[in-house]
Amino acid sequence: MPVSFADILDAFEFANTDSSLGDYHAVVCRQTGKIYTYAEGSDLEEFNDELPDDIEDEEKYIAIPDKKELGLGKPLALNFAREHLPNDFDEVRYIFSKRGAYRKFRTLLEKRHSVDLWYAFEAKAKEQALRDWCNLNEIAVVD
């Protein structure tokens, strides 16, 4: 059953939410294409879909990956710096060797007037990585 790519992207964003309210997850039913979202450790119903009893069946459901699984964390920032900020590559590599990297990276992007360029680069990479993931896992997507 085809799944809307926009729904996959929304589920990816949900599953990669950084929050103290719980661990966020999204899974796709391979048979129906329905996406289920839930937050472990959260009692807030707005975060939790009614989950099927067999949600743990890995043949039937597949978890939406996190950004690290798709190489969309540090490696992506380094690729961006290599391509768009070559004179700052060593600084970006250093930034990502410490805690609080994204805040410091954002500050550098602002100094270099490259925030919009970064967001476009990140969005393109995210879309390609998710489409590749869907293909690899035989999830048919429609635009």
Side-chain angles (χ1 to χ4, degrees), residues 118-132:
W118 161 249
Y119 285 138
F121 185 87
E122 182 184 38
K124 183 177 178 183
K126 185 187 317 179
E127 178 176 347
Q128 186 60 56
L130 280 172
R131 287 186 184 280
D132 291 346

Side-chain angles (χ1 to χ4, degrees), residues 64-115:
I64 298 287
D66 70 22
K67 67 181 183 179
K68 289 179 184 173
E69 288 176 68
L70 298 179
L72 298 174
K74 176 182 176 179
L76 184 64
L78 293 175
N79 288 341
F80 177 82
R82 190 176 289 113
E83 187 174 325
H84 296 284
L85 302 171
N87 294 335
D88 295 308
F89 180 78
D90 288 337
E91 182 176 353
V92 173
R93 188 172 53 201
Y94 177 75
I95 285 171
F96 278 90
S97 71
K98 306 285 185 194
R99 294 181 62 87
Y102 281 98
R103 181 177 41 81
K104 293 173 186 167
F105 182 56
R106 167 93 184 186
T107 299
L108 177 66
L109 292 172
E110 288 170 352
K111 270 186 0 188
R112 300 293 183 252
H113 307 286
S114 298
V115 174

Side-chain angles (χ1 to χ4, degrees), residues 10-114:
D10 287 345
F12 176 81
E13 296 296 345
F14 178 87
N16 284 278
T17 299
D18 187 21
S19 173
S20 61
L21 296 177
D23 291 327
Y24 290 68
H25 304 277
V27 296
V28 179
C29 177
R30 293 177 187 268
Q31 296 170 349
T32 66
K34 180 162 175 46
I35 297 174
Y36 297 91
T37 58
Y38 61 98
E40 288 182 31
S42 175
D43 293 331
L44 299 174
E45 288 190 27
E46 65 192 83
F47 294 122
N48 295 307
D49 287 336
E50 184 71 31
L51 300 178
D53 292 335
D54 62 348
I55 195 76
E56 300 295 324
D57 182 349
E58 293 180 6
E59 294 293 318
K60 188 173 179 183
Y61 302 95
I62 185 165
I64 298 287
D66 70 22
K67 67 181 183 179
K68 289 179 184 173
E69 288 176 68
L70 298 179
L72 298 174
K74 176 182 176 179
L76 184 64
L78 293 175
N79 288 341
F80 177 82
R82 190 176 289 113
E83 187 174 325
H84 296 284
L85 302 171
N87 294 335
D88 295 308
F89 180 78
D90 288 337
E91 182 176 353
V92 173
R93 188 172 53 201
Y94 177 75
I95 285 171
F96 278 90
S97 71
K98 306 285 185 194
R99 294 181 62 87
Y102 281 98
R103 181 177 41 81
K104 293 173 186 167
F105 182 56
R106 167 93 184 186
T107 299
L108 177 66
L109 292 172
E110 288 170 352
K111 270 186 0 188
R112 300 293 183 252
H113 307 286
S114 298

